[in-house]
Amino acid sequence: QVQTGQQQRVRKPTVSVAAEPMEDAIIALKRSMKSALQEAELQIDHMQQEAMQIVSRLQADKERLHLEEQQLDEERREFTRLQALLNFELEEVSRLREEVEGRSLFACCVRPSADRISEVQLGDPDIDSIIGEVRGGSERADTLDQE
């Protein structure tokens, strides 16, 4: 307001006609940006929840696998123990058989059968290869005898 003497004049702000569409565009842009920001925040929240669920599932799977691994280790130990017990018992059977068969007159001159050799060693790759060599060697000796 400008006072000149006793008259009071009110000045209206001068707004150009071109500025109004510009202001409308800025307001629309602000609304659009606000809406896009809200949508982005919702998507981020949703992705964060999904990530937390995935982490939770992975932790549960990791715990489950750890328990299964412990169970497998225990089963392996039990299997090894049982296999050693079986080998011991098979050796005892073989020893008893030798005692019974050893009472015959020429038992000291007889080579043990291949079945007895294989029943003593069960599942040991080193022993299996030796048994294979012994069997292979006896077959070679048999073919030499036939010639």
Side-chain angles (χ1 to χ4, degrees):
Q1 296 178 358
V2 178
Q3 291 182 0
T4 51
Q6 293 202 349
Q7 289 181 340
Q8 188 178 24
R9 256 185 349 179
V10 177
R11 279 192 182 175
K12 289 185 176 179
T14 56
V15 177
S16 69
V17 177
E20 285 181 21
M22 181 86 84
E23 287 177 12
D24 291 341
I26 290 174
I27 291 172
L29 182 61
K30 284 181 181 180
R31 285 184 193 146
S32 174
M33 289 179 67
K34 186 175 181 178
S35 173
L37 181 62
Q38 289 173 344
E39 181 64 29
E41 287 175 346
L42 288 174
Q43 288 179 357
I44 289 171
D45 289 342
H46 179 72
M47 288 179 170
Q48 186 178 17
Q49 288 175 353
E50 285 181 357
M52 290 172 65
Q53 289 173 350
I54 290 171
V55 167
S56 177
R57 280 195 311 258
L58 288 174
Q59 286 175 341
D61 288 346
K62 183 179 177 182
E63 290 175 20
R64 182 182 49 83
L65 288 173
H66 180 71
L67 291 174
E68 288 177 3
E69 185 178 7
Q70 286 178 337
Q71 184 180 4
L72 282 174
D73 287 343
E74 188 172 320
E75 288 175 1
R76 280 188 198 110
R77 284 191 298 273
E78 179 67 12
F79 177 74
T80 301
R81 186 188 69 78
L82 290 174
Q83 190 174 19
L85 179 64
L86 178 63
N87 283 336
F88 174 78
E89 290 174 354
L90 288 174
E91 287 174 9
E92 181 68 17
V93 167
S94 194
R95 186 185 61 77
L96 291 173
R97 183 180 287 157
E98 285 178 14
E99 285 181 14
V100 169
E101 290 175 358
R103 293 186 183 150
S104 70
L105 183 59
F106 298 104
C108 63
C109 302
V110 178
R111 179 170 96 31
S113 69
D115 294 338
R116 286 189 17 215
I117 292 173
S118 65
E119 78 182 12
V120 172
Q121 306 300 330
L122 182 65
D124 188 347
D126 295 330
I127 301 300
D128 289 343
S129 67
I130 293 171
I131 291 172
E133 290 173 10
V134 168
R135 287 183 181 163
S138 65
E139 290 172 2
R140 283 189 221 114
D142 291 342
T143 54
L144 289 176
D145 290 340
Q146 290 176 359
E147 293 176 0

